[in-house]
Amino acid sequence: MAYPINAGETAHSTYTHARMRVYLWVRQITCKHANRHTLKHVHKHAGAHGFTLIELLVVLAILSLLLTISVPRYFHSIQQSREAVLKKNLHVTREVIDKFYGDTGRYPQSLDELVERRYLRSLPLDPVTDSSATWVLVAPEKGSGVYDIQSGAPGATREGLPFSRL
């Protein structure tokens, strides 16, 4: 199927030219032995005409559809990641508190003591509040020190469990 390209193109011939470019592009992808002379001829004239309004609108519609699908998933994955990191930080810190108690027979007076005695390299970060100063320290029933640690973040997880109850 050949599409003639005339020097004095009209609106109909511009549309025909655009169809020919799409046809040859698909043909180039699908056929191993595409006509190189015809493709060079089309590419030589392609820059002179640009894109039609319809082509631009179709591209914008496809992009907006893809963004509509991907953006909510992106934000959902960020929230899911923050919750996973929070659970892991709480688990590791609680294990370190237990190891400290096993080694010394007492609970640490603060989280800084765990860092000073090299049980932790640094204070863990609460990923929901983006701070290491918002932890809620729970003292044991008898005595003093840090028995447990909870998140000071307001709100709840995706399952509805408050962050302070993790």
Side-chain angles (χ1 to χ4, degrees), residues 59-149:
V59 168
L60 287 175
I62 292 170
L63 284 175
S64 64
L65 177 66
L66 291 174
L67 286 174
T68 303
I69 294 170
S70 64
V71 168
R73 289 183 182 206
Y74 173 73
F75 287 120
H76 173 74
S77 67
I78 288 178
Q79 182 65 24
Q80 184 179 3
S81 299
R82 285 184 179 167
E83 290 176 17
V85 170
L86 176 61
K87 289 177 183 178
K88 186 66 175 177
N89 284 352
L90 286 169
H91 177 73
V92 167
T93 307
R94 287 172 178 156
E95 280 185 349
V96 167
I97 291 172
D98 290 341
K99 288 178 183 177
F100 184 90
Y101 182 80
D103 291 345
T104 63
R106 67 176 181 84
Y107 291 106
Q109 294 303 312
S110 67
L111 293 177
D112 292 327
E113 186 176 359
L114 295 173
V115 175
E116 290 169 5
R117 306 227 30 225
R118 298 189 185 263
Y119 282 87
L120 290 173
R121 290 186 185 207
S122 64
L123 289 177
L125 181 74
D126 186 342
V128 179
T129 61
D130 288 328
S131 174
S132 60
T134 57
W135 296 114
V136 176
L137 306 177
V138 179
E141 293 178 12
K142 297 178 184 174
S144 64
V146 179
Y147 170 73
D148 193 11
I149 183 173

